[in-house]
Amino acid sequence: MADPLERIAAALERISPPPAPAPNWSASAYVWHVEPDWLEPVAEVARVPLDLLVGISRARDTLVANTAQFARGLPANNVLLWGARGMGKSSLVKAAHAEAGQGTVLVEIHREDLPSIGRLLNLLRCVERRFLLFCDDLSFSHDDAHYKSLKAVLDGGIEGRPENVIFYATSNRRHLMPRDMIENERGSAINPSEAVEEKVSLSDRFGLWLGFHACSQDEYLAMIRGYCDRYGIEIDDETLRAEAIEWQQTRGARSGRVAWQYVTDLAGRREVSLSL
């Protein structure tokens, strides 16, 4: 019969397994997981080529320049990419990482895992690589305290943010909080300005804000034409315009995502592969 202490130790090991060993850093991108803590290598990042990201030239140039500075070991800012849905925020982050070259490692962290970000920073701090932390679709709801964990990477606390780490986040909200939540905080607090300041000011901790807005019809059609030319889908301009406008009307939206969905449908109908 096993010793009681050994049984207890085995039970604790099952409940809280030890962290997985650190990777050998042979991949250019990883996804951070918890329970246990480990970095999963990504064999191939799903990317859109930088030249196909239409209608966001100012944000594109700013982010690529900031990422290139960081990759070369120069000062660079944490970045919040906010605004309209489907306009290429996360695609731009991945494209900028590709432009920076293989020397920079992309690490994706999910919003629900933000409380573990301190452990991730401790792991990355001692590695002689440069890391771009990426959180997609970042936002916080009422009574969500995860935003406090984010300060570890934005402000760095007593240790300071590791010199080899930068943080990029995408969000539909500039202030990362619902507007009605902010107004409720103001209306119910004894000191309204102080009650909401900590939450609203979170986005202020990003050195760069890059705004994304709904695209025009000409930009929408240019996105589709770019995809068709890249993947060899033959379609005349008149037919493309008529079909693409009808497609956006049925979706009730016009964006880069809607453009890609139309191209996917068109490629299927024309029996054209979307792999290069």
Side-chain angles (χ1 to χ4, degrees), residues 41-55:
V42 177
E44 185 175 352
V45 178
R47 305 184 196 271
V48 175
L50 194 63
D51 61 323
L52 291 182
L53 298 176
V54 176

Side-chain angles (χ1 to χ4, degrees), residues 17-258:
N24 59 12
W25 306 116
S26 58
S28 64
Y30 296 83
V31 177
W32 172 249
H33 298 282
V34 298
E35 297 181 358
D37 293 349
W38 68 293
L39 284 160
E40 177 186 11
V42 177
E44 185 175 352
V45 178
R47 305 184 196 271
V48 175
L50 194 63
D51 61 323
L52 291 182
L53 298 176
V54 176
I56 55 172
S57 56
R58 182 175 181 181
R60 178 198 63 204
D61 294 345
T62 301
L63 191 71
V64 168
N66 191 71
T67 309
Q69 288 171 200
F70 175 70
R72 298 198 305 270
L74 299 172
N77 275 302
N78 300 313
V79 184
L80 174 63
L81 300 87
W82 69 276
R85 301 187 306 272
M87 280 304 297
K89 297 184 291 293
S90 59
S91 295
L92 180 56
V93 171
K94 291 181 283 189
H97 168 251
E99 285 289 304
Q102 296 300 312
T104 303
V105 180
L106 182 66
V107 178
E108 182 175 17
I109 180 169
H110 300 130
R111 191 202 69 84
E112 59 270 21
D113 293 331
L114 283 176
S116 70
I117 201 167
R119 302 196 299 273
L120 175 58
L121 292 180
N122 287 336
L123 175 63
L124 302 182
R125 189 185 299 272
C126 303
V127 180
E128 292 186 3
R129 299 287 299 275
R130 301 189 72 74
F131 296 95
L132 195 168
L133 266 59
F134 170 48
C135 186
D136 194 20
D137 198 20
L138 180 63
S139 63
F140 302 98
S141 58
H142 186 62
D143 293 331
D144 188 342
H146 284 12
Y147 72 93
K148 295 181 180 178
S149 303
L150 190 54
K151 292 180 181 179
V153 67
L154 297 178
D155 288 341
I158 192 170
E159 289 184 290
R161 174 168 56 90
E163 184 274 336
N164 64 332
V165 174
I166 200 170
F167 186 78
Y168 288 180
T170 68
S171 177
N172 294 332
R173 304 169 182 155
R174 185 177 64 175
H175 288 300
L176 305 178
M177 304 284 180
R179 182 173 294 276
D180 60 343
M181 174 183 166
I182 294 173
E183 295 302 325
N184 287 340
E185 291 277 0
R186 286 197 176 103
S188 61
I190 296 175
N191 190 326
S193 60
E194 289 183 3
V196 77
E197 180 67 22
E198 183 180 27
K199 295 178 180 179
V200 175
S201 66
L202 178 61
S203 56
D204 291 340
R205 291 177 165 85
F206 289 89
L208 284 175
W209 288 3
L210 300 179
F212 289 70
H213 308 285
C215 61
S216 67
Q217 184 166 284
D218 287 343
E219 290 170 336
Y220 168 72
L221 294 173
M223 293 173 188
I224 295 173
R225 173 52 68 190
Y227 283 128
C228 289
D229 292 345
R230 173 61 63 94
Y231 294 102
I233 305 172
E234 296 184 3
I235 182 171
D236 63 86
D237 289 340
E238 184 178 349
T239 303
L240 183 150
R241 181 182 180 86
E243 288 191 1
I245 291 176
E246 180 183 5
W247 182 272
Q248 67 140 83
Q249 289 173 340
T250 62
R251 297 302 305 272
R254 184 171 58 216
S255 69
R257 182 178 296 134
V258 172

